[in-house]
């Protein structure tokens, strides 16, 4: 991926617009955020995955498995399934190995390859999942086509991802959220990603050959989970990388930090987060 702009998310050759090693102030902070993020929505994600046909005993392909947090949840949800996790970032590969070291080798396989070239046999997987991956892909159609290749006839592919313009709701309102979204969209686009990918997933899956398409929204809100559960996602330090490359000014970052503090300390603050879940089947 060629880009003349400074590296926003990557200091090594990791394809796509996300690198856990440079996304936050340090890797441990980013791993904490990722674990907290998964906890916000996993219960509903698992419910929807099962509603869409995921069953124990199936062979499951997880693309962009990151540090293995969602992989472990899948292993627990499906005690008789074999999970194949695909992750190209060597830092995340090592994190996954540590995270899943107690699971027997026949329960999961970790492949450190690109998602558009998994090396898996044709028609070998019952179900495929990509969670918060497609927004970072420079060639999302190629990945969807690869999934279509490796799925068995009748297999299902479920993509869970974001839309930058339909992501957060705040009460009291947080006007700075629009600025944050705009600058994050710019940053991701410069690195070949697309924070508005979810609105394009239906047509992308159609183009790749999938049928029986479905779209659902998954929401998590603080009246249910408590405001502290959302705070790792609202850490102003997550925006420091935008300052480094000139997409956000120091004064703007300070204003955002003050607005976040005012929101958190307001009487009865409320926040809602939304994911899209788009699926299709190989008929």
């Amino acid at each position: 991926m060629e880009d003349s702009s400074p590296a926003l998310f990557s200091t090594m050759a990791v394809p796509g617009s996300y690198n856990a090693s440079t996304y936050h102030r340090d890797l441990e902070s980013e791993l904490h955020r990722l674990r907290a993020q998964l906890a916000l929505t996993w219960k509903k994600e698992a419910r929807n995955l099962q509603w869409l046909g995921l069953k124990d005993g199936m062979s499951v392909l997880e693309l962009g498995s990151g540090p293995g947090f969602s992989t472990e949840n899948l292993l627990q949800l499906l005690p008789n399934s074999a999970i194949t996790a695909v992750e190209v970032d060597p830092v995340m590969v090592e994190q996954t190995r540590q995270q899943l070291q107690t699971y027997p080798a026949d329960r999961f396989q970790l492949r450190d390859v690109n998602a558009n070239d998994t090396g898996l046999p044709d028609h070998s997987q019952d179900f495929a999942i990509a969670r918060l991956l497609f927004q970072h892909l420079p060639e999302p159609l190629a990945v969807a086509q690869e999934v279509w290749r490796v799925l068995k006839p009748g297999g299902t592919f479920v993509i869970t991802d974001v839309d930058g313009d339909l992501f957060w709701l705040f009460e009291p309102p947080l006007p700075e959220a629009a600025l944050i979204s705009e600058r994050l969209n710019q940053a991701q686009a410069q690195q070949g990603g697309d924070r508005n990918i979810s609105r394009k997933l239906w047509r992308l899956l159609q183009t790749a050959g999938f049928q029986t398409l479905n779209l659902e929204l998954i929401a998590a809100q603080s009246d249910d989970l408590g405001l502290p559960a959302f705070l790792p996602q609202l850490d102003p330090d997550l925006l420091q990388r935008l300052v480094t490359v000139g997409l956000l000014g120091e004064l703007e970052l300070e204003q955002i930090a003050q607005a976040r503090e005012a929101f958190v300390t307001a009487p009865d603050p409320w926040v809602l987060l939304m994911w899209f879940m788009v699926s299709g089947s190989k008929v």
Side-chain angles (χ1 to χ4, degrees):
M1 179 172 56
E2 296 181 357
D3 190 347
S4 59
S5 64
L8 301 176
F9 298 101
S10 179
T11 57
M12 53 187 174
V14 178
S17 65
Y18 173 79
N19 188 320
S21 299
T22 57
Y23 195 79
H24 209 333
R25 55 182 167 265
D26 52 51
L27 180 60
E28 286 305 312
S29 297
E30 178 58 4
L31 292 175
H32 172 71
R33 186 188 74 85
L34 292 175
R35 189 185 293 276
Q37 183 188 72
L38 180 65
L40 291 175
T41 57
W42 176 251
K43 183 177 179 180
K44 291 183 178 179
E45 289 182 52
R47 176 201 64 190
N48 280 17
L49 289 171
Q50 292 172 312
W51 176 66
L52 291 166
L54 180 64
K55 294 181 175 62
D56 192 19
M58 284 182 165
S59 54
V60 179
L61 171 62
E62 183 191 16
L63 299 160
S65 56
F69 300 152
S70 56
T71 313
E72 184 167 27
N73 280 9
L74 286 169
L75 288 165
Q76 294 171 354
L77 180 69
L78 307 168
N80 297 296
S81 285
I83 312 295
T84 299
V86 170
E87 175 56 55
V88 70
D89 185 338
V91 173
M92 293 290 96
V93 168
E94 180 57 32
Q95 289 293 324
T96 298
R97 290 198 176 105
Q98 294 179 23
Q99 183 71 22
L100 304 180
Q101 60 183 325
T102 61
Y103 287 86
D106 63 346
R107 291 295 322 281
F108 83 100
Q109 178 187 28
L110 178 59
R111 301 177 71 86
D112 53 346
V113 296
N114 284 320
N116 63 3
D117 187 14
T118 64
L120 293 168
D122 293 354
H123 319 305
S124 60
Q125 302 295 309
D126 293 307
F127 206 95
I129 298 166
R131 185 181 183 279
L132 304 180
L133 169 69
F134 267 65
Q135 61 174 300
H136 298 297
L137 295 173
E139 297 180 344
L141 178 59
V143 175
Q145 291 170 330
E146 172 69 357
V147 174
W148 194 93
R149 181 187 70 79
V150 304
L151 277 177
K152 298 175 183 178
T156 297
F157 183 27
V158 181
I159 304 172
T160 301
D161 225 304
V162 307
D163 190 288
D165 295 335
L166 188 62
F167 186 61
W168 292 107
L169 290 177
F170 297 94
E171 183 61 40
L174 188 65
E176 289 76 10
L179 173 64
I180 295 169
S181 180
E182 174 192 347
R183 303 299 168 81
L184 287 174
N185 289 356
Q186 292 175 4
Q188 207 151 313
Q190 287 187 14
Q191 293 297 100
D194 184 354
R195 279 189 84 240
N196 291 326
I197 190 64
S198 285
R199 66 186 69 176
K200 304 166 187 176
L201 290 175
W202 185 289
R203 295 178 183 179
L204 186 145
L205 288 179
Q206 278 185 322
T207 302
F210 288 91
Q211 300 180 38
T212 319
L213 301 181
N214 188 74
L215 185 152
E216 302 290 329
L217 288 177
I218 292 185
Q221 52 104 9
S222 57
D223 281 353
D224 178 22
L225 302 172
L227 185 63
F230 292 81
L231 296 184
Q233 318 309 317
L234 301 174
D235 188 340
D237 282 357
L238 287 164
L239 305 176
Q240 184 60 52
R241 65 195 188 281
L242 303 183
V243 176
T244 302
V245 297
L247 286 175
L248 193 69
E250 290 281 4
L251 180 58
E252 289 175 312
L253 180 59
E254 179 60 27
Q255 291 171 340
I256 290 169
Q258 292 175 0
R260 185 259 196 192
E261 183 63 20
F263 168 77
V264 169
T265 57
D268 299 322
W270 176 84
V271 59
L272 179 143
L273 171 149
M274 289 167 284
W275 302 142
F276 283 66
M277 183 175 273
V278 184
S279 64
S281 297
K282 179 179 178 178
V283 177

